Amino acid sequence: MAVPVAFFAAFFAYPVTAIVARGLKADGVWQFGRIGEVLAQSDIRQVLWFTTWQALVSTALTLLIALPGAYVFARFDFPGKQLLRAVVTVPFVLPTVVVGTAFMALVGRGGLLDELWGLRLDTTVWAILLAHVFFNYAVVVRTVGGLWGQLDPRQEEAARMLGASRFTAWRTVTLPALAPAVAAAALMVFLFTFTSFGVVQILGGPTFATLEVEIYRQTSEIFDLSTAAVLTMIQFVAVGAILALHAWTVRRRETALRLVDASGTARRPHGAGQWALLAGVVATVAVLLLLPLAVLVERSFGDAGLSHYRALTRDDGGVFLVAPIEAVGNSLRYAALATVIAVVIGTLASVALTRRDAGRLVRGFDALLMLPLGVSAVTVGFGFLIALDEPPLDLRSSWILVPLAQALVGVPFVVRTMLPVLRAVDVRLREAAAVLGASPWRVWREVDLPMVRRAVLVAAGFAFAVSLGEFGATVFIARPDNPTLPVAVARLLGRPGELNYGQAMALSTILMIVCAVALLLLERLRTDRSGEF
């Protein structure tokens, strides 16, 4: 456990604490009165209000649209199910910059809806809400559908035999059993939308900003570190409360239900109603998830064929110090190293969390591992520049900062993937190996590793995909001569001109394809027990 704790202390807690202290300390004295001053500003209160209500509405919309899909994947068996499941999950691992770019191509100025009907949503909240549903659809399908598929359908059938209607049986039997999973999914969606950055940064324009976007603006444009520090603390408190609730719901889900093998509960749809439901879910996936990506690809070609892709190979001396295409190689190298770091740290943490002698403090570290998903990535990135600039961690000018920041985001996915599988390993196997004289390392190598090898590969795939798309911290620390794909896309979108827009679409398409391929490969490795995501 010492290695994961040291890693998070050095590359998460220390940079965040340093940037907050830089903003709220003056002459060695904490200026807590600054909190009231910041909250008294009307524009900051407007940001807090927008951040909260758009997250609530995004969560409600996501649940409303995705719950039918969760039921279909849990209870129906149909041709192409695995492919459709992979397609549903692709948006979740896409970088937020790509999601924002895709919806800009669909509903923004000159987008598909603008061309067809003159409908433009680029400066309205609807584009942001739809993008959040797009991004989080898979969270509900995975979390709720995974549990739904393991609920014994005979309980609901027994209620039907006793005279309950289909809806009454579902409301009184199935819904209470699903409540912990629905709550956990809702909390995760709320967390991701409350801390949304890339989507709102691209689609919101100057009108709409979340806390994360405002922290970025205060840090990089206004250079008001004290306001940024106050907003970081507010976001930290909110995220901590969300994660505490999430941990409680997960514990309820793990201990309160008797589950069955999910492979035996799915049946081929029968009757017009079930086939109509399946068709509706497929149509939803096509319109909500695939259409924005298809428009993104179409805009990358435009009217000029491959010219936007060819332009990526040229250094125009403007946006970058190198040809934009070099961002592809940079991102792959950074993500590969970040994946290695995330898998090592995440696996060590997971093993420690599953030990029978783990104390309450160690078990509490499980919730802390989720903090990088919710605490301001902008603060982490800027904190890297502020804090890691002197021995023994003088890394400010080092390229290693990028994979370290990406690994912080990847570790929670590794832990959430590995923990359920490690907890499923029969402890008596470990004890028998230990009695026969095996060392702890040999017990892990001979007993645990063969059983969790597939889960390790799945965890690595998720860590690679999310590392590839990390933007909030990387935008601060990626060097101009070594940009990553998300940073390159954002910089191209920030410059006027059709060529820059076309190159941004082309790079986004490349990034989408790489993430999709990684996701499809790990779907072939996934088992029903391979984690929560």
Side-chain angles (χ1 to χ4, degrees):
M1 198 63 181
V3 175
V5 169
F7 177 81
F8 272 82
F11 300 114
F12 179 69
Y14 176 50
V16 171
T17 302
I19 195 67
V20 170
R22 179 69 65 93
L24 290 181
K25 256 188 174 182
D27 299 325
V29 179
W30 287 95
Q31 307 294 320
F32 291 112
R34 181 63 180 149
I35 298 176
E37 296 174 4
V38 171
L39 293 178
Q41 300 175 26
S42 60
D43 56 336
I44 296 298
R45 292 200 301 272
Q46 180 63 34
V47 168
L48 290 171
W49 168 242
F50 175 74
T51 301
T52 303
W53 84 256
Q54 66 80 25
L56 289 171
V57 175
S58 295
T59 302
L61 281 175
T62 305
L63 289 174
L64 180 66
I65 295 173
L67 282 175
Y71 175 79
V72 165
F73 281 103
R75 293 304 193 204
F76 292 171
D77 187 18
F78 53 90
K81 180 177 178 179
Q82 288 302 110
L83 177 61
L84 187 64
R85 181 183 173 93
V87 168
V88 164
T89 312
V90 165
F92 180 65
V93 299
L94 284 180
T96 55
V97 171
V98 172
V99 175
T101 306
F103 274 82
M104 176 182 290
L106 178 63
V107 302
R109 179 172 300 170
L112 180 65
L113 298 185
D114 189 16
E115 290 181 353
L116 294 179
W117 301 297
L119 178 61
R120 190 165 71 237
L121 302 173
D122 55 321
T123 57
T124 73
V125 72
W126 279 108
I128 296 172
L129 296 178
L130 289 175
H132 284 161
V133 175
F134 169 94
F135 186 74
N136 292 291
Y137 185 92
V139 176
V140 177
V141 170
R142 292 278 189 178
T143 306
V144 180
L147 179 62
W148 209 333
Q150 293 179 283
L151 294 180
D152 192 343
R154 292 174 295 183
Q155 297 177 2
E156 190 171 323
E157 292 169 0
R160 294 289 308 281
M161 292 180 64
L162 293 174
S165 65
R166 184 181 298 274
F167 176 75
T168 301
W170 179 82
R171 179 176 56 83
T172 58
V173 177
T174 304
L175 184 58
L178 285 176
V182 173
L187 286 168
M188 289 307 298
V189 173
F190 185 85
L191 174 66
F192 291 140
T193 52
F194 186 85
T195 59
S196 180
F197 178 56
V199 167
V200 181
Q201 176 79 353
I202 291 175
L203 294 174
T207 307
F208 301 106
T210 56
L211 269 174
E212 186 80 350
V213 173
E214 186 64 20
I215 292 170
Y216 175 78
R217 191 175 74 89
Q218 295 288 341
T219 303
S220 64
E221 298 177 11
I222 302 178
F223 304 108
D224 186 350
L225 291 186
S226 63
T227 298
V230 171
L231 297 181
T232 297
M233 292 175 63
I234 293 172
Q235 184 164 307
F236 184 84
V237 171
V239 167
I242 295 169
L243 291 178
L245 284 172
H246 180 265
W248 178 71
T249 58
V250 169
R251 284 195 299 271
R252 282 190 62 194
R253 186 178 60 187
E254 289 178 346
T255 60
L257 300 173
R258 180 172 296 177
L259 306 178
V260 299
D261 185 2
S263 62
T265 63
R267 297 288 187 268
R268 187 174 180 83
H270 60 84
Q274 291 192 355
W275 282 107
L277 178 59
L278 175 58
V281 169
V282 172
T284 299
V285 171
V287 174
L288 179 66
L289 305 186
L290 294 182
L291 181 59
L293 301 181
V295 174
L296 175 67
V297 175
E298 186 272 332
R299 288 294 187 270
S300 72
F301 292 101
D303 299 326
L306 295 172
S307 62
H308 294 152
Y309 289 89
R310 295 193 188 100
L312 296 177
T313 63
R314 298 193 296 268
D315 178 14
D316 62 2
V319 183
F320 307 104
L321 299 179
V322 295
I325 195 64
E326 293 194 19
V328 178
N330 294 336
S331 288
L332 292 175
R333 288 191 294 271
Y334 288 146
L337 180 56
T339 299
V340 173
I341 297 172
V343 169
V344 171
I345 299 297
T347 301
L348 290 174
S350 300
V351 171
L353 291 169
T354 54
R355 291 182 56 180
R356 298 182 66 182
D357 58 347
R360 181 175 299 179
L361 185 62
V362 173
R363 290 193 297 269
F365 188 63
D366 183 13
L368 296 179
L369 290 171
M370 297 289 288
L371 281 177
L373 292 181
V375 172
S376 172
V378 170
T379 300
V380 174
F382 196 63
F384 272 26
L385 297 181
I386 295 296
L388 305 182
D389 62 343
E390 57 186 30
L393 292 175
D394 187 5
L395 304 174
R396 185 169 182 170
S397 60
S398 174
W399 60 270
I400 196 69
L401 282 182
V402 174
L404 286 173
Q406 293 173 341
L408 281 173
V409 181
V411 168
F413 288 90
V414 174
V415 173
R416 297 267 68 81
T417 302
M418 295 288 296
L419 265 182
V421 183
L422 284 171
R423 285 171 175 162
V425 176
D426 192 340
V427 68
R428 291 173 297 182
L429 297 176
R430 299 188 183 111
E431 292 171 349
V435 168
L436 293 173
S439 65
W441 163 245
R442 189 172 181 183
V443 170
W444 159 254
R445 180 166 54 87
E446 301 290 344
V447 176
D448 291 75
L449 185 58
M451 296 184 179
V452 303
R453 183 183 294 114
R454 188 181 293 266
V456 171
L457 294 175
V458 172
F462 266 118
F464 179 80
V466 298
S467 297
L468 199 64
E470 204 288 321
F471 176 62
T474 309
V475 70
F476 278 98
I477 56 182
R479 296 168 52 178
D481 57 340
N482 285 292
T484 63
L485 274 170
V487 172
V489 170
R491 289 178 182 171
L492 286 167
L493 286 175
R495 290 174 61 91
E498 178 63 28
L499 180 60
N500 287 320
Y501 177 82
Q503 289 184 90
M505 295 294 168
L507 275 181
S508 296
T509 300
I510 293 172
L511 185 51
M512 176 191 70
I513 292 172
V514 174
C515 288
V517 169
L519 193 279
L520 291 172
L521 289 175
L522 72 88
E523 273 298 314
R524 295 179 63 88
L525 298 169
R526 175 176 289 279
T527 65
D528 289 337
R529 298 189 319 185
S530 293
E532 298 176 18
F533 290 103

